[in-house]
Amino acid sequence: MEMTTETLCDIDFLRRLLRDAPYDPRRGVGCLGRRVRVSTPVEGLPSALVPDEMRADKEYRAARSDSVAWRRLRCRYDFEYWACECVTVKDKQSYRDIPFRLNAPQRRVLEVLEGDRRAGLPVRIILLKARQWGGSTLVQMYMAWIQCVHRRNWNSVICAHVKDTSLNIRGMYTKMLERYPAELWEGDEEAAFRPYERSGGVRVIAGRDCRVTIGSSECPDSVRGGDYAMAHLSETAFWRSSPTRSPRAVIQAVCGSIALVPYSFVAIESTACGTGDYFHTEWVRSKSGEGDKHAVFVPWQEIDFYRLEGDDATAILGTMSAHERWLWAHGCTSDNLRWYRRKRREFESDEQFYAEFPPDDILAFTSAQNVVFPADAVERLRAGCHAAARTGEVSADGSRFTDDASGRMKVWEEPSRTGRYVVAVDVGGRSASADWSVIAVFDISGDMPRVAAQWRGHIDHDLLAAKSVAVARYYRDAFLVIESNTFETAQYGGGADSNLFVLNRISEQYANLYTRRTFDSLTRTYSSRIGFHTNVSTKAMVIAGLVEAVRDGLYVERDAEACHELSVYEQLPNGAYAAKQGHHDDILMTRAIALHVIRAGDVPAARLDAYPQRPAW
């Protein structure tokens, strides 16, 4: 239902009221967690809202009459208070040094961190950053709080894409220690960084025996094998891969030894740099609940800097474009839209604007890229993905399915007596480094095609052909569509003749096959050939069909890996299509071929029970 301008203005007023709600970490107003009001012995602070845990501490009764003891005790339980009292940061607008008072995005992230800590869990987070809200500052100061207040001999590492960034992050720590209030310091020596055994990359916090190591993805050996309890890994989307190292390998080497104990901490944070890299993959895993980290993104409209105050809310809200209404639906206020209209003029396109100021995590990763499939459409498709009901292998004769946790076949839907099925096969290689071979099963008996099952692995081509026939038989003599390029070249076995032998053998064993009509220019005759041949023209055709199917929601996906392949599929400058370097498109191609065949009407109208069946391969 369309809202009136008056209604929009009322909602806008409430949004701004909530956004600008009072916040005072010294008095505890607007702070996180369950709090109770207590009287305090601190001069100028007659009462404050403090965490429940503080009042339950056995030291609380004695601290009620001692200002320093009370403040120290509160610092243990109230990060927001500790940050305001003990940490000095540079204000991004005035460039003055000010107490660290958390802004709204920082408090939202803190709520996630404190949720794990208070539950006695290891703290794990992956943070997708917009610009200028202090995500790195919050992460580093939270680690400093653990080292300075909660744990001794609790070592940490800071590793960024380049060493200068790591030094800048540690610089925040240095400033904090230099200005730490002496009466609140709980160390055996004065608060400061000290050199550690002549190591330029390691400092130790005096009086706490906590080491802080810095390194970079350019020199990963400097941070490997350390005795770390906490890790801050910054700008990981910009970590470069090489033949001898990858971001994943470096991060696993750093974090692998961090124990799963309370107060252990891993934060991976970065601005986005396209899809398909380690950071994007880990973000998607974590967002879907498959990873070990909380996925947190802060959009530009939540950041205080990105708004312009004004009295013309009616004029702004009454003249919103369709795109601005989308932004409104994503939480923008009239102040945000006023800023957006001014800032947007600096960019030629929305994509360029969103590369700097993403309103959601999808656009953060995909803006200004040559991606083929719309990011929002891929995310809608991803909503249908879930774990397979069964995992295992089909018997050689296709008569039964055996559950096996190490099996290569995933089944989301069992064969149905009323089902009609299409099986599409993309042929890969034998070795672990080669492309995958994929056998995808589609149920086409409903309103739209649904992925029912999938086999994926590395296997000899003749065994793949046998496996394809077995899967097709299991799914009620499904219509079998085999991508035939590999079998029609001389790259396998003894040459093209031996490859074609595999196709001929398939036709002898199984009759419900896709064939295509080809023209021989020498004999000027037509003939029928087994399989779908992918070439420049047919690939463009099936990809165009898949783009439409993904965009318009014309099929149901089940496998999250298929969505990953869609998200990293690019159009190259020469117009060709390919997966982003280091990624695959084998699952994607089974979808493209199957949906093309289905839409073209090449599938027999009914399942053919009478097709001759010969013994298994």
Side-chain angles (χ1 to χ4, degrees):
M1 183 177 67
E2 188 73 15
M3 288 187 288
T4 65
T5 301
E6 290 76 12
T7 302
L8 292 173
C9 287
D10 289 341
I11 296 173
D12 181 65
F13 174 77
L14 291 174
R15 285 182 179 177
R16 289 185 286 118
L17 191 65
L18 290 171
R19 181 192 64 193
D20 298 329
Y23 176 65
D24 185 342
R26 293 192 74 243
R27 293 189 295 125
V29 175
C31 292
L32 300 174
R34 295 180 58 184
R35 292 177 176 258
V36 60
R37 183 172 295 280
V38 300
S39 59
T40 88
V42 180
E43 184 178 354
L45 188 67
S47 67
L49 292 165
V50 301
D52 277 348
E53 302 96 323
M54 174 186 171
R55 196 174 63 164
D57 192 288
K58 62 183 180 180
E59 298 180 21
Y60 178 74
R61 182 180 295 275
R64 291 174 62 183
S65 59
D66 185 329
S67 175
V68 172
W70 190 91
R71 293 170 65 202
R72 284 190 175 191
L73 185 63
R74 186 175 176 188
C75 283
R76 294 178 203 169
Y77 292 98
D78 194 342
F79 174 84
E80 292 169 274
Y81 175 78
W82 173 85
C84 183
E85 291 287 288
C86 301
V87 181
T88 301
V89 296
K90 180 176 286 186
D91 180 61
K92 292 184 181 293
Q93 292 182 312
S94 67
Y95 297 99
R96 295 182 295 107
D97 288 336
I98 59 173
F100 183 26
R101 290 167 53 99
L102 274 64
N103 57 38
Q106 288 169 334
R107 296 199 295 275
R108 183 156 71 84
V109 175
L110 176 65
E111 187 172 15
V112 175
L113 304 179
E114 282 289 82
D116 279 350
R117 185 192 69 84
R118 287 174 171 164
L121 300 173
V123 182
R124 302 290 187 268
I125 190 170
I126 182 167
L127 187 59
L128 173 57
K129 302 189 303 182
R131 304 182 188 279
Q132 300 297 316
W133 64 272
S136 294
T137 300
L138 174 68
V139 167
Q140 193 54 51
M141 290 303 100
Y142 192 81
M143 291 170 64
W145 180 55
I146 291 174
Q147 290 180 308
C148 294
V149 176
H150 289 280
R151 290 290 187 270
R152 293 174 181 262
N153 194 28
W154 205 249
N155 302 326
S156 67
V157 59
I158 304 166
C159 189
H161 59 313
V162 294
K163 191 171 184 178
D164 284 350
T165 300
S166 298
L167 287 169
N168 288 337
I169 294 172
R170 192 177 68 182
M172 296 184 241
Y173 211 144
T174 302
K175 177 185 287 188
M176 182 271 294
L177 291 173
E178 289 175 347
R179 304 188 183 189
Y180 204 103
E183 70 276 13
L184 299 181
W185 178 247
E186 297 192 51
D188 303 327
E189 303 175 41
E190 181 181 344
F193 267 143
R194 300 276 188 256
Y196 180 74
E197 297 185 354
R198 299 183 180 180
S199 174
V202 184
R203 297 288 186 271
V204 62
I205 304 171
R208 300 291 300 179
D209 294 325
C210 295
R211 296 194 301 272
V212 178
T213 301
I214 64 167
S216 72
S217 65
E218 297 173 325
C219 300
D221 291 340
S222 62
V223 295
R224 292 179 187 271
D227 176 23
Y228 306 127
M230 301 191 295
H232 179 184
L233 307 172
S234 182
E235 296 298 354
T236 53
F238 299 90
W239 290 22
R240 295 180 181 176
S241 295
S242 75
T244 58
R245 68 173 185 269
S246 69
R248 181 179 300 279
V250 174
I251 289 171
Q252 289 177 344
V254 171
C255 298
S257 60
I258 297 179
L260 294 174
V261 296
Y263 287 93
S264 67
F265 182 94
V266 174
I268 296 177
E269 50 91 353
S270 184
T271 47
C273 185
T275 58
D277 55 31
Y278 166 80
F279 181 70
H280 173 250
T281 302
E282 192 65 13
W283 171 265
V284 172
R285 282 199 335 114
S286 299
K287 182 181 175 182
S288 67
E290 295 179 3
D292 65 329
K293 304 171 189 68
H294 299 284
V296 181
F297 168 67
V298 175
W300 70 262
Q301 58 266 32
E302 287 188 20
I303 302 170
D304 288 344
F305 304 120
Y306 305 141
R307 65 189 193 194
L308 288 176
E309 304 286 348
D311 299 325
D312 58 342
T314 300
I316 293 288
L317 299 176
T319 59
M320 286 190 292
S321 65
H323 185 66
E324 288 172 338
R325 286 184 176 274
W326 182 87
L327 290 173
W328 167 265
H330 281 67
C332 278
T333 65
S334 58
D335 296 341
N336 294 135
L337 293 175
R338 191 177 293 106
W339 177 87
Y340 166 77
R341 289 184 177 183
R342 179 76 61 85
K343 192 69 177 178
R344 175 62 179 79
R345 297 173 189 169
E346 300 177 14
F347 300 87
E348 294 182 2
S349 66
D350 285 332
E351 288 74 21
Q352 291 177 353
F353 173 83
Y354 290 143
E356 298 294 322
F357 305 102
D360 64 22
D361 64 306
I362 308 304
L363 288 170
F365 283 109
T366 58
S367 293
Q369 289 196 103
N370 296 321
V371 292
V372 175
F373 298 93
D376 56 342
V378 174
E379 288 305 301
R380 289 195 298 271
L381 201 65
R382 195 187 300 275
C385 298
H386 56 80
R390 301 178 69 185
T391 301
E393 293 289 351
V394 171
S395 62
D397 63 358
S399 63
R400 65 189 183 279
F401 183 88
T402 302
D403 291 302
D404 182 350
S406 63
R408 292 290 187 176
M409 185 162 173
K410 297 186 288 187
V411 173
W412 288 275
E413 297 180 18
E414 295 284 354
S416 166
R417 290 186 60 83
T418 59
R420 293 180 59 220
Y421 300 96
V422 171
V423 173
V425 183
D426 186 74
V427 182
R430 304 185 191 94
S431 69
S433 60
D435 290 336
W436 296 91
S437 290
V438 179
I439 306 169
V441 181
F442 279 79
D443 185 340
I444 62 172
S445 59
D447 295 335
M448 64 175 67
R450 304 188 307 275
V451 174
Q454 178 175 284
W455 186 94
R456 183 176 185 240
H458 295 106
I459 190 173
D460 286 347
H461 292 162
D462 58 332
L463 298 179
L464 174 66
K467 178 70 69 175
S468 302
V469 169
V471 170
R473 284 175 173 166
Y474 183 67
Y475 274 88
R476 298 185 59 77
D477 303 327
F479 189 56
L480 180 57
V481 187
I482 296 181
E483 183 267 327
S484 61
N485 295 45
T486 304
F487 295 125
E488 294 180 7
T489 66
Q491 297 176 2
Y492 173 74
D497 291 341
S498 62
N499 294 348
L500 290 174
F501 168 76
V502 175
L503 290 176
N504 291 332
R505 192 168 183 185
I506 291 174
S507 67
E508 293 174 359
Q509 298 293 323
Y510 195 77
N512 197 9
L513 288 170
Y514 173 89
T515 59
R516 69 188 190 276
R517 197 180 186 202
T518 61
F519 179 73
D520 190 324
S521 59
L522 294 177
T523 62
R524 303 190 65 79
T525 59
Y526 286 95
S527 62
S528 179
R529 284 198 170 188
I530 300 167
F532 185 92
H533 192 274
T534 306
N535 51 45
V536 174
S537 60
T538 61
K539 186 171 184 178
M541 175 179 62
V542 299
I543 293 300
L546 185 58
V547 169
E548 181 183 13
V550 172
R551 184 195 64 216
D552 297 341
L554 301 181
Y555 87 102
V556 178
E557 184 57 69
R558 296 299 186 210
D559 185 17
E561 186 62 29
C563 294
H564 173 73
E565 290 191 3
L566 291 168
S567 71
V568 296
Y569 203 62
E570 299 178 330
Q571 186 165 25
L572 305 178
N574 64 2
Y577 296 108
K580 190 172 182 178
Q581 186 174 4
H583 298 270
H584 297 279
D585 62 0
D586 317 295
I587 299 175
L588 179 155
M589 287 306 299
T590 62
R591 275 53 172 175
I593 292 171
L595 292 173
H596 169 76
V597 170
I598 293 166
R599 186 167 185 177
D602 294 330
V603 183
R607 186 176 63 81
L608 302 180
D609 291 312
Y611 278 132
Q613 300 284 310
R614 296 203 178 188
W617 207 276

